[in-house]
């Protein structure tokens, strides 16, 4: 077709990317902006065909250190609804909303959920701040643990809040939003039961995991798995043999069964940890973002299943 301009071809290409990135909303649909990929998926499930969801921080993105660009302010300005997590996760949102003119209503998905305090200092560490991804990057959660989505029951609450937010800006879609929310809620409740059943297969004393990403406090509280920060391994920079020796001592002393140290990429050091302690080195847990399509965690439900599969496999030592 000779009638296509280069620009319209680019636009058509962008549309096929769905909500995986900052994409122009389709005219007929309600333009909704979600702050990060996990929330974008949840909003898309509740909104269904009526909404065009744009995610600011896309798959594999780090919302903690993200910096909005002028194009993001335009997206927020054009949105009929903005959905954020809250609990201090999106420290950049007030500025972005102001830059966008502050017109679109903002729904905070964690509204009504009793907050959980973040581990301020952990007694497994000599006060160096190691193992605290979230103290890095110059952001501040105000002492709250924002990772509420790691408990599926919280996402059931997100769904109700998002449903009501959508109905408020698009009352004509009430029946659709209510039906979508009810169906998704049933799926999430089954997922929550699935997680409990999976964890129940692991002996209580084996539910002790080390992870460098301090994002599983909500999961720990909800499902009874203990997550400890690694000693000796900084979240910045290379692991040293001395640090690894310290980690090995911790694993033995605390009877840890599984280690997920995402930033520790030196295979020889990981092999040494595994060999000297007998722990299983797990794969990559998804904490704050989905994977791209085709990856192991393209949706929230997939993400929870992926994490639980990895955790239970590592804790069981198989
Ligand atoms: Zn995080």
């Amino acid at each position: 077709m000779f009638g296509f301009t280069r620009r319209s071809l680019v636009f058509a290409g962008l549309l096929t990317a769905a909500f995986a990135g900052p994409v122009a909303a389709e005219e007929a649909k309600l333009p909704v902006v979600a702050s990060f990929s996990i929330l974008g998926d949840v909003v898309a499930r509740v909104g269904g065909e009526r909404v065009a969801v744009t995610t600011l921080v896309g798959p594999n993105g780090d919302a903690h250190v993200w910096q909005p660009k002028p194009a993001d302010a335009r997206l927020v300005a054009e949105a009929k609804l903005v959905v954020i997590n809250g609990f201090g996760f999106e420290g950049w949102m007030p500025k972005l909303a102001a830059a966008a003119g502050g017109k679109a209503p903002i729904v905070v998905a964690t509204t009504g959920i009793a907050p959980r305090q973040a581990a301020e200092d952990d007694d497994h560490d000599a006060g160096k701040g190691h193992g605290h991804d979230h103290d890095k990057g110059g952001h501040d959660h105000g002492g709250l643990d924002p990772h509420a989505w790691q408990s599926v029951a919280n996402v059931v609450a997100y769904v109700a809040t998002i449903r009501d937010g959508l109905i408020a800006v698009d009352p004509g879609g009430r029946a659709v939003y209510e039906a979508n929310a009810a169906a998704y809620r049933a799926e999430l409740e089954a997922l929550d039961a699935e997680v409990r059943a999976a964890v129940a297969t692991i002996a209580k004393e084996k539910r002790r995991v080390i992870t460098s990403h301090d994002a599983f406090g909500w999961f720990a509280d909800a499902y009874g798995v203990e997550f400890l920060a690694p000693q000796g391994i900084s979240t910045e920079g290379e692991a040293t043999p001395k640090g690894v020796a310290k980690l090995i001592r911790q694993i033995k002393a605390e009877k840890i069964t599984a280690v997920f140290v995402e930033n520790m990429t030196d295979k020889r050091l990981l092999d040494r940890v595994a060999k000297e302690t007998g722990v299983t080195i797990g794969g990559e847990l998804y904490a704050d973002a989905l994977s791209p399509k085709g990856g192991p965690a393209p949706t929230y439900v997939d993400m929870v299943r992926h994490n639980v599969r990895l955790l239970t496999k590592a804790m069981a030592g198989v």
Side-chain angles (χ1 to χ4, degrees), residues 64 89 134 147 213 215 288:
H64 293 292
F89 190 56
H134 298 114
H147 309 90
H213 191 100
D288 292 5

Side-chain angles (χ1 to χ4, degrees), residues 62 64 89 133-134 139 141 145-147 149 213-215 287-288:
D62 185 353
H64 293 292
F89 190 56
D133 271 350
H134 298 114
H139 64 281
H141 293 330
D145 179 352
H147 309 90
W149 58 88
H213 191 100
D214 193 12
D288 292 5

Side-chain angles (χ1 to χ4, degrees), residues 6 33 46 89 93 180-181 191 202 225 235 245 251 258 272 276 283 304 312-313:
R6 186 163 178 268
V33 166
V46 179
F89 190 56
M93 197 62 216
N180 289 350
L191 178 67
I202 307 296
V225 174
T235 53
I251 290 166
R272 193 183 140 200
E276 288 193 29
V304 172
T312 50
K313 200 174 161 213

Side-chain angles (χ1 to χ4, degrees), residues 193-257:
E194 192 182 311
V195 176
R196 286 174 200 286
V199 173
T201 63
I202 307 296
K204 274 210 175 73
E205 66 275 12
K206 284 188 146 192
R207 298 179 199 162
R208 292 167 70 77
V209 174
I210 284 179
T211 172
S212 60
H213 191 100
D214 193 12
F216 295 93
W218 280 100
F219 186 99
D221 289 358
Y223 304 113
V225 174
E226 198 175 347
F227 289 83
L228 303 173
Q231 286 181 5
I233 309 294
S234 170
T235 53
E236 292 168 345
E238 292 293 301
T240 63
K242 202 177 153 202
V244 169
K246 195 174 177 192
L247 176 64
I248 288 170
R249 282 200 299 279
Q250 178 194 16
I251 290 166
K252 288 178 176 167
E254 313 233 31
K255 299 185 168 60
I256 301 295
T257 51

